[in-house]
Amino acid sequence: MQKSIFIEDIRSGKYDGEVVDLKGWITRTRGSNKIRFIVLRDSTGRIQCVAKRDVVGDAVFENLKAALIETSIELRGIVNVDDRSDGGYELVIQSANVIGEVNPESPFPITESAMANSDGGETEFLLDHRHLYLRTSRMTQMLKIRSSVFGAIHRYFRERDFTEYHAPNFVAGAVEGGSTLFEVPYFGRKAYLTQSWQLYAEAAMPALERLYTIAPSFRAEKSRTRRHLTEFWHAEMEIAWAGNSDVMEHGEKLVRTIAKTLLDERTEELTELNRDLDLISRYADNPYPRMRYDEAVEILQDMKVDIEWGQDLDYSKEKVLTQDFDVPHFLTHYPKIAKPFYHRPDPEDPKYVLCHDLLAPEGYGEIIGGGERTWSEAEILQRIDEEGTPRGPYEFYIDIRRYGGVPHGGFGLGVDRICSWLSGAEHIREVIPFPRDSRRVTP
RNA sequence: GCCGUGUUAGCUUAGUUGGUGGAGCGGCGGACUGUUAAUCCGCAGGUCGUGGGUUCAAAUCCCCCACACGGCGCCA
């Protein structure tokens, strides 16, 4: 039953002149009364298959004529090198067996016209039919690129002896501001969906020293932008005996490794998506400059952007700042007042914290946020109180610092954002199979 | 939370100064021996998002609502 021959095997020339059995789905069909062309699709590509009435007989020919788009089918035929076929290969059909038919009363809804004006963006109709839209070449390419990005992240950390570590998804407190928490009923109490793995990772830091995860994070933000999801995949790392610049170094190497991996594994998909491979090479090969917050504010003020020292850099400002960047840039040393309590104040000037954001070019914005943690008990209590954050939910987090605290840090990377940026997507929704935002939880 | 745009056939859409809605794709039927978004001929398919108002007459003008999409704030 298991399939052994894939379309890419045929197109790579392994079966020239041989009789093969091919299983797949019909993606396009056309022809006359005497000859029928079936474009077959599987997970590895497409190939034109030709049925001639005088070869296959009337019964098979009529079956093929009646088979609609997305019918699943088994074909037996001879692999033929023929440049009249797109891709240079075709299958000359000898026999055919329909496995799963498609009812003409409800034909496959994802038609050329359904995708006509989407421009890679996504219409309501395509989002409502996401479970079927996944079969299109664009989504298939996105999903493969996504898989390579996940693989690259795991490989990066495992090659450096990081331990994969898992935090709970039900939590009691927030990492970011409390308004963006999803509240869920929990046996008569309230719990929340996690926004980050970080606080729990810091608990294991003294045990594992180098740890990472890739896990979903949840934020109840009513954001309607091409960069936001309410459920997104978060790659996070935490490392003991490390400062801000050590953490940044890992962030830079990781992102460059991801870009390099796509060039190794997914040039075909990127090319089909019309992505400029020279850009990806640039992101893989060049170092990422580092810039202090103060410098960024000065640059923006020189550009006549309305910003005052102490303000966080929102997207409109990031966009202006990054428009001339040709590689991602780190922004470091934000004012303490713009960042949450777990960022460690700079001992050299406690107005600032030891943190960094990595900003992607081409208008994709922030893809990494990280830094050195506030690691001593005294300092964390001071920061929490300064912020007016209640201590209660963070008692365990404070307790960690009472037993041999050490300098440490980490970052969180938005995996979907990386996928979106590197694939050149119009919208972050394009790179995740079933996107969740403030207005959509279905299908 | 705020701002903007939109909702017409299964899909993508046209619809003029208000006068009972037109096309392409898809489906069905037919023609065609090499197509490749195949082509050609024909058929079916519409409470014009909901509710109200103006008018002799509303897809079209006005109001409410619903839903969607885009953008902002926030962030990965």
Side-chain angles (χ1 to χ4, degrees), chain A residues 20 51 66 69 72 74 136 169 247 262 295 328 393 396 403 413 420 427:
Chain A
V20 297
I69 287 173
S72 56
E74 267 177 320
T136 61
N169 289 321
V247 175
L262 291 187
E295 268 178 85
F396 87 90
Y403 305 93
L413 174 153
S420 183
H427 198 292

Side-chain angles (χ1 to χ4, degrees), chain A residues 68-338:
Chain A
L68 301 184
I69 287 173
E70 287 305 310
T71 299
S72 56
I73 196 167
E74 267 177 320
L75 298 173
R76 171 166 294 176
I78 299 171
V79 175
N80 187 32
V81 179
D82 192 323
D83 55 18
R84 286 176 299 183
S85 172
D86 186 24
Y89 281 87
E90 64 181 17
L91 188 78
V92 181
I93 298 173
Q94 295 172 330
S95 62
N97 183 25
V98 169
I99 305 296
E101 54 188 26
V102 174
N103 185 343
E105 281 173 27
S106 53
F108 191 65
I110 315 299
T111 58
E112 292 290 340
S113 54
M115 294 187 289
N117 294 350
S118 63
D119 283 337
E122 324 224 290
T123 62
E124 181 187 354
F125 180 82
L126 293 176
L127 289 165
D128 285 340
H129 293 82
R130 191 65 166 204
H131 51 294
L132 302 177
Y133 184 48
L134 295 182
R135 306 181 186 196
T136 61
S137 56
R138 186 178 180 90
M139 273 310 297
T140 304
Q141 286 149 8
M142 290 295 190
L143 293 177
K144 288 185 180 183
I145 288 169
R146 183 180 175 89
S147 172
S148 287
V149 169
F150 275 68
I153 296 169
H154 281 293
R155 217 161 30 247
Y156 176 88
F157 285 117
R158 285 167 180 264
E159 278 172 2
R160 288 162 180 78
D161 291 322
F162 279 68
T163 301
E164 184 173 355
Y165 165 81
H166 301 112
N169 289 321
F170 289 123
V171 298
V175 176
E176 311 291 344
S179 60
T180 64
L181 283 168
F182 279 109
E183 189 180 303
V184 289
Y186 200 82
F187 303 109
R189 280 180 293 162
K190 286 176 187 171
Y192 305 92
L193 296 180
T194 185
Q195 295 184 309
S196 170
W197 162 95
Q198 179 197 324
L199 301 190
Y200 292 89
E202 288 187 59
M205 174 275 296
L208 299 171
E209 293 188 301
R210 294 160 290 179
L211 53 157
Y212 83 102
T213 197
I214 310 179
S217 284
F218 306 88
R219 296 198 185 161
E221 291 160 353
K222 287 188 179 170
S223 313
R224 302 197 45 73
T225 79
R226 68 188 64 191
R227 308 177 307 284
H228 285 86
L229 297 167
T230 51
E231 175 182 340
F232 67 96
W233 286 78
H234 212 170
E236 298 183 82
M237 65 85 88
E238 200 67 32
I239 184 168
W241 315 104
N244 195 38
S245 64
D246 302 312
V247 175
M248 248 187 292
E249 206 172 296
H250 278 292
E252 172 174 346
K253 278 190 194 153
L254 173 59
V255 173
R256 288 173 59 181
T257 299
I258 293 169
K260 182 71 173 51
T261 301
L262 291 187
L263 290 172
D264 289 343
E265 298 178 3
R266 297 298 173 198
T267 53
E268 198 179 311
E269 286 79 6
L270 289 165
T271 304
E272 282 174 32
L273 290 167
N274 292 319
R275 189 63 169 139
D276 183 351
L277 294 180
D278 290 342
L279 283 178
I280 314 290
S281 300
R282 199 191 285 165
Y283 305 147
D285 296 340
N286 295 301
Y288 299 169
R290 299 172 185 194
M291 182 188 287
R292 290 181 67 109
Y293 168 91
D294 284 3
E295 268 178 85
V297 169
E298 272 174 39
I299 290 172
L300 285 167
Q301 283 171 342
D302 287 348
M303 294 167 92
K304 307 290 178 211
V305 174
D306 182 27
I307 182 169
E308 283 173 39
W309 189 94
Q311 272 183 289
D312 205 354
L313 299 179
D314 60 42
Y315 179 67
S316 63
K317 309 206 171 48
E318 280 181 8
K319 206 160 141 188
V320 175
L321 185 68
T322 57
Q323 64 190 3
D324 298 324
F325 289 179
D326 53 1
V327 293
H329 281 51
F330 281 104
L331 244 59
T332 68
H333 299 83
Y334 280 67
K336 186 170 74 175
I337 50 174

Side-chain angles (χ1 to χ4, degrees), chain A residues 174-177 195-196 198-199 202 219 234 236 238 339-345 353-355 369-375 379-380 383-384 387 389 394 397 401 408-410:
Chain A
V175 176
E176 311 291 344
Q195 295 184 309
S196 170
Q198 179 197 324
L199 301 190
E202 288 187 59
R219 296 198 185 161
H234 212 170
E236 298 183 82
E238 200 67 32
K339 289 286 176 183
F341 66 83
Y342 52 79
H343 287 105
R344 186 184 177 207
V353 287
L354 298 169
C355 72
E372 193 169 327
R373 313 305 186 195
T374 310
W375 61 270
E379 216 166 33
I380 198 79
R383 290 285 287 123
I384 286 178
E387 242 183 40
T389 303
Y394 300 103
Y397 188 72
R401 283 142 175 81
H408 66 283

Side-chain angles (χ1 to χ4, degrees), chain A residues 371-421:
Chain A
E372 193 169 327
R373 313 305 186 195
T374 310
W375 61 270
S376 76
E377 182 191 1
E379 216 166 33
I380 198 79
L381 289 174
Q382 188 193 334
R383 290 285 287 123
I384 286 178
D385 294 348
E386 256 172 27
E387 242 183 40
T389 303
R391 290 185 182 187
Y394 300 103
E395 188 43 47
F396 87 90
Y397 188 72
I398 299 162
D399 207 33
I400 296 163
R401 283 142 175 81
R402 296 186 179 119
Y403 305 93
V406 297
H408 66 283
F411 64 75
L413 174 153
V415 185
D416 316 279
R417 282 191 179 175
I418 284 267
C419 292
S420 183
W421 164 51

